[in-house]
Amino acid sequence: MTMSPIQQADQFFVTSQHRFVSYLPAEFQSLTSAILSVIAIVLVFALLFAITTVLERKGLGRIQNRYGPNRVGPAGFFQPLADGVKSLTKEDLVPRTADQMVHFLAPVLLVTAAFLAYAVLPVGRNMVLVNLNAGILYFFAVGSLVELAVFMAGWSSRNKYSLLGGMRAIAQMISYEVPLVLASVVVIMAAGSLSTVSIVDMQASYTGIWPHWFVFTPWGFAGFILFMIAATAESNRSPFDLPEGESEIIAGYYIEYSGFKFALFFLGEYLGMFATSGLAITLFLGGWAAPFSFLTWIPSYLWFFAKLLLLIVIFIWIRGTLPRLRMDQLMSFAWQFMLPMTLFNLFVAGVWHFMPSGIVRWLVCIALLVAPAILLSRSLKQGKKFAVRHYRFAE
Amino acid sequence: MTVTFLILAALTLAGTVAAMAMRNLIHCVLALTLGFAGLAALYLLLGAQFVGFTQILVYVGAVAILAVFVIMMTQSAIPAMQSIFSSFWVAGSVVAAAVFAVLAWAICRSGFASQVLPPVEAAVHPIGDALMHGYVLPLEIMGLLLTAAMIGAVVLAMHEKRRTP
Amino acid sequence: MSPLTGYLLLSALIFSVGLAGALTRRSAILVLIGIELMLNAANLNFIAFWRYGPNPQALTGIMFAIFSIGIAAAEAAVGLGIILAAYRHSKTTELDQMNSMKG
C-alpha cells in the first residue's frame, strides 16, 4: 500500500507502531501494541499537564496584572520541573486519625479513572486505543469513578473541612453530570452511534470548504455551550470551584494531602479537564477533522491538540475572569437552568431532524432555543435585584 | 472456566463478602463498589458491553454514592462498640447457607452442556432497536417508575414542616 | 464444569452472601445493600443465560438485565429515602432498635 507524503505524515505514529510491533513474535504483538499506545497516552497527556500549568499560571498572571512564574528556565517554562521535584521531595504527611488505606487509595483511583477515560478518545485518524461500541457510555462510566475517589479523599482525612469539601464536590458533580450526559445525547441522536470513532467520522466531511461539525447547527451550538458549562463544573474549575473554595473551606477534599499525593490530585483534576474537553471536541468540534477542506493536509493529531489547547486557553480565561458562585446559586443553576435547557435541546434536535432543510428550519430551531433560555434565566433572576455595587476600599 | 473468569469471580466475591461483613459502613460500601465493578467486568467478559458500562454508571456512580450520603447523614464517626450482627444471626446464616446448598445442588444436577460457542457481542444498535420496538411499553413503564421513585424519594427525604410551632 | 455452570455457581454464591447480609446485619442500609446484591446476582444469571443460551440474537437476557438495573436504582433511591425518614423519627438506623410504631 503506497501513501502520499501527506498521508504518511498523518499516519506516521500508526505506521511506526505497526512496524515496531511486526518485529516481535506473533503472540506478543497485540499486547505490545496496546502497551505502546498506553505509554504514548500517559506521556503525551502528562506533558500536556506540565505545559498547561505553566500556561495557566502565566495567563492568570497576565489577567491579574502580575508576572507569574518567570525564574526557572527561559521565561519560566521549566517551572513544572521544579514543581515536580518539589512535590517528590516533600514529606508525605498522613493524619494520625486518617483511614490510612482509603487515604492512600483515593489519589490512585482518581488518576487511574482520569487516564482510563482517554482509551476511547480518538486523537487522530486511526489513533484511538479501543474503538468501543459503547464508547461514550464507557467515558461517562469511568468518569463516575472520579466522584468515588473524591468522596474517599474527603472522608478518609477525618477533617471537617475536607469532609465538607468532599460533600460539596460530590453534590456538584452529580448535579452537573446530568446536564453533561443529556447535552451529549443530542449528538448521539444525530450520529446514531455511541462509538466515538464513528461520531468523528460523521463530522469529517465537507460541503464546499465548510465542515460538517455538529457545533454548526442550533442544537449543536447550544449543546456545546451547555456541555462546556457542565464540563467546567465537573472538573471543579472556577467559577464552579466551590469544593476547594479557599476562603470558606481552605482547600476542600485534599487539605490533608501533601507531597506527591497532592500532585496526583492536581494531575487527576487537569487530566479530567483534558478528557472532558477532548470529549467535547469529539462530539461537537469534529474531533481530529480540519476546520476547512483546504487545511486537511495538516496531520489530524495536530488538529486535535490545537483544538484541545484552544479549549484549555478558554478555561484559563474563564478562570481569570469570573468570580466564584455561591452553593445555592450553583445548585439552582444546575437544576433550574441547565437541566431544562438540555431537555429543550433534545426536543429541538428532534425538530431539526424532522423538518425539511432550509432557512425556516434554522429560524424555528433558534427561536425554540432562545425563548426558553430567556424565560429560564428570567425565572432564575426573579426576586433578586441586580445593581452596580459600590465597594469601599480601605484607604 | 478461564483464568480471567476465576480472577474476576474471586474479586467480586471478595468485594461482596467484605461489604456484608465489615464493621465500618463506609468500608462496606467501598468494598461493595469493588464487587459491583467485578460484576461489570464479568458482563464485559460475557460480551454484554452495554450492560457492563451501565452497571458501573448506575451502581458505582449513583447507588454507592447515594448510600454513602445516607450513611454520612445518619452515622456518627465512631462506630458503635456493640455487635454488627442482629440477635438472630445464626438463623439468618443457616437460611442463607441452606439457600446456597439448594441452588448449588440444582445447578450441578442440571448438567448444562459444555458446548463451545462462538463469541457473541451485543452491539448497542440492536439493543436500541429492541428497546424502541419490541420493548417500548416496558421502557415507558420504566420511565414512569423512575419518575415516581424520584418524586417519592424527594418527598420522603424532604424535611417535614412542623405544623405546630 | 462448563462455563455456564461456573457463572451460575458464582451468582448463587453472591445471592447467598446478599441474603446472609440482609438477614443478619443490624444496619438498615446494609440490609438494602444486601437486597441490591441479590438483584445483581439475578442479573448475572440473565446475562450468563443470554450468552450461553440457544438464541443470543434475541437479546432477552440483556433486556431483563437493563430493566432490572433501572428498577434497582429506583429501589435504592426510595429505600434510602425511607431510611432517612425513619432516622428522623427514631434517631437510629439499627433495625432492632426501630421497634416502636409511634413516631
Side-chain angles (χ1 to χ4, degrees):
Chain A
M1 195 175 70
T2 50
M3 291 196 285
S4 65
I6 292 172
Q7 275 174 325
Q8 270 177 15
D10 189 29
Q11 296 296 298
F12 174 71
F13 294 107
V14 180
T15 45
S16 39
Q17 189 191 16
H18 278 303
R19 195 166 302 154
F20 178 77
V21 167
S22 65
Y23 292 129
L24 295 169
E27 58 263 35
F28 294 122
Q29 283 191 356
S30 62
L31 185 69
T32 318
S33 104
I35 290 175
L36 275 181
S37 312
V38 169
I39 291 174
I41 287 178
V42 169
L43 284 184
V44 166
F45 283 96
L47 186 70
L48 190 67
F49 164 67
I51 295 172
T52 308
T53 49
V54 173
L55 267 185
E56 173 148 38
R57 292 174 67 179
K58 288 185 89 71
L60 282 183
R62 283 295 155 199
I63 291 172
Q64 292 159 358
N65 211 359
R66 57 189 171 81
Y67 286 116
N70 61 356
R71 296 289 145 153
V72 193
F77 263 96
F78 290 158
Q79 185 69 34
L81 281 179
D83 285 344
V85 170
K86 185 187 82 172
S87 68
L88 274 173
T89 50
K90 257 187 172 179
E91 187 187 358
D92 178 26
L93 289 170
V94 179
R96 194 159 47 86
T97 52
D99 197 313
Q100 310 286 337
M101 192 66 192
V102 183
H103 191 264
F104 169 75
L105 280 179
V108 178
L109 179 66
L110 184 78
V111 173
T112 316
F115 268 126
L116 277 178
Y118 291 100
V120 291
L121 281 186
V123 293
R125 190 178 277 122
N126 302 330
M127 284 165 75
V128 62
L129 188 54
V130 275
N131 179 11
L132 281 182
N133 206 305
I136 298 194
L137 199 65
Y138 166 84
F139 189 94
F140 289 123
V142 168
S144 68
L145 291 180
V146 172
E147 286 157 30
L148 200 69
V150 165
F151 164 77
M152 281 161 71
W155 176 78
S156 66
S157 303
R158 293 283 154 76
N159 175 320
K160 61 185 164 210
Y161 294 114
S162 69
L163 190 60
L164 281 174
M167 295 288 261
R168 276 187 180 191
I170 295 169
Q172 171 177 335
M173 284 165 127
I174 285 185
S175 311
Y176 279 90
E177 201 171 354
V178 179
L180 191 76
V181 174
L182 282 176
S184 42
V185 164
V186 280
V187 173
I188 297 166
M189 266 167 67
S193 169
L194 275 169
S195 152
T196 46
V197 173
S198 52
I199 287 175
V200 174
D201 285 342
M202 276 200 77
Q203 300 178 74
S205 55
Y206 301 88
T207 325
I209 61 162
W210 301 105
H212 289 172
W213 297 359
F214 288 126
V215 75
F216 297 128
T217 51
W219 50 267
F221 185 72
F224 176 63
I225 301 287
L226 292 168
F227 188 94
M228 285 318 282
I229 295 174
T232 323
E234 273 291 291
S235 46
N236 292 338
R237 282 184 64 89
S238 173
F240 301 105
D241 57 347
L242 289 113
E244 51 208 83
E246 53 276 79
S247 54
E248 299 148 30
I249 49 174
I250 313 177
Y253 48 89
Y254 47 71
I255 296 179
E256 298 290 0
Y257 284 92
S258 61
F260 195 60
K261 286 186 197 155
F262 178 79
L264 281 184
F265 267 103
F266 213 57
L267 175 69
E269 199 162 294
Y270 275 82
L271 286 177
M273 181 181 100
F274 300 155
T276 28
S277 308
L279 189 66
I281 291 167
T282 305
L283 290 176
F284 299 101
L285 298 181
W288 42 259
F292 300 108
S293 60
F294 52 82
L295 287 177
T296 42
W297 54 274
I298 298 177
S300 52
Y301 43 89
L302 288 187
W303 278 120
F304 181 85
F305 284 102
K307 289 172 192 175
L308 192 56
L309 273 177
L310 181 74
L311 285 187
I312 289 169
V313 168
I314 293 177
F315 269 122
I316 296 171
W317 185 11
I318 289 174
R319 177 170 173 191
T321 314
L322 293 177
R324 185 180 297 143
L325 291 176
R326 270 197 333 252
M327 198 66 197
D328 60 318
Q329 290 170 335
L330 181 94
M331 283 297 160
S332 57
F333 185 65
W335 295 108
Q336 295 179 15
F337 184 83
M338 296 290 287
L339 183 62
M341 272 313 288
T342 44
L343 290 175
F344 261 111
N345 202 20
L346 275 181
F347 173 69
V348 171
V351 170
W352 175 271
H353 183 76
F354 285 111
M355 273 180 82
S357 58
I359 190 84
V360 184
R361 182 165 80 158
W362 274 88
L363 291 177
V364 169
C365 286
I366 290 174
L368 274 176
L369 278 171
V370 170
I374 293 175
L375 287 175
L376 284 171
S377 42
R378 284 241 175 118
S379 76
L380 258 187
K381 214 170 88 172
Q382 213 162 41
K384 293 171 204 144
K385 285 204 177 108
F386 289 113
V388 179
R389 267 194 203 171
H390 295 283
Y391 293 98
R392 288 200 189 147
F393 301 101
E395 284 179 78
Chain B
M1 298 298 281
T2 57
V3 183
T4 326
F5 169 73
L6 288 178
I7 293 173
L8 287 177
L11 202 72
T12 313
L13 264 182
T16 47
V17 171
M20 288 290 107
M22 281 168 115
R23 173 169 283 275
N24 191 327
L25 288 185
I26 301 273
H27 287 167
C28 288
V29 177
L30 292 180
L32 182 76
T33 55
L34 179 70
F36 284 155
L39 272 172
L42 282 172
Y43 295 161
L44 293 184
L45 192 65
L46 283 167
Q49 230 177 55
F50 187 83
V51 183
F53 294 142
T54 315
Q55 166 92 4
I56 293 186
L57 196 62
V58 171
Y59 279 103
V60 179
V63 171
I65 297 283
L66 204 63
V68 153
F69 253 78
V70 173
I71 292 170
M72 306 259 266
M73 279 191 256
T74 56
Q75 308 287 312
S76 58
I78 309 126
M81 277 298 109
Q82 54 196 335
S83 166
I84 53 171
F85 294 111
S86 63
S87 46
F88 46 88
W89 64 274
V90 182
S93 347
V94 167
V95 168
V99 167
F100 176 69
V102 171
L103 284 176
W105 177 75
I107 291 165
C108 292
R109 277 290 300 273
S110 49
F112 295 106
S114 59
Q115 76 272 39
V116 179
L117 290 155
V120 204
E121 184 82 18
V124 179
H125 213 273
I127 294 177
D129 258 358
L131 274 178
M132 281 298 141
H133 293 119
Y135 294 85
V136 73
L137 189 67
L139 185 73
E140 295 294 322
I141 295 172
M142 192 73 213
L144 198 67
L145 174 79
L146 281 175
T147 317
M150 188 178 76
I151 296 171
V154 169
V155 169
L156 276 173
M158 236 172 13
H159 269 292
E160 290 171 39
K161 294 219 172 65
R162 297 257 166 81
R163 288 197 193 84
T164 48
Chain C
M1 197 157 65
S2 69
L4 180 58
T5 318
Y7 280 103
L8 293 184
L9 276 179
L10 174 66
S11 148
L13 260 175
I14 296 174
F15 185 87
S16 318
V17 169
L19 185 66
L23 288 178
T24 57
R25 291 297 295 246
R26 290 174 73 231
S27 162
I29 297 161
L30 275 178
V31 171
L32 193 71
I33 286 175
I35 294 168
E36 293 285 338
L37 273 183
M38 296 199 280
L39 274 170
N40 266 291
N43 280 355
L44 186 58
N45 261 2
F46 277 126
I47 304 277
F49 273 121
W50 162 77
R51 171 68 177 76
Y52 293 106
N55 191 8
Q57 273 71 42
L59 293 176
T60 320
I62 298 263
M63 287 300 147
F64 262 103
I66 290 174
F67 286 118
S68 156
I69 287 177
I71 287 169
E75 182 223 308
V78 174
L80 289 170
I82 290 174
I83 291 173
L84 261 189
Y87 175 76
R88 276 206 205 98
H89 277 292
S90 52
K91 296 289 166 233
T92 179
T93 56
E94 309 282 291
L95 282 174
D96 44 9
Q97 286 167 34
M98 273 191 241
N99 46 13
S100 150
M101 296 284 272
K102 275 188 192 159

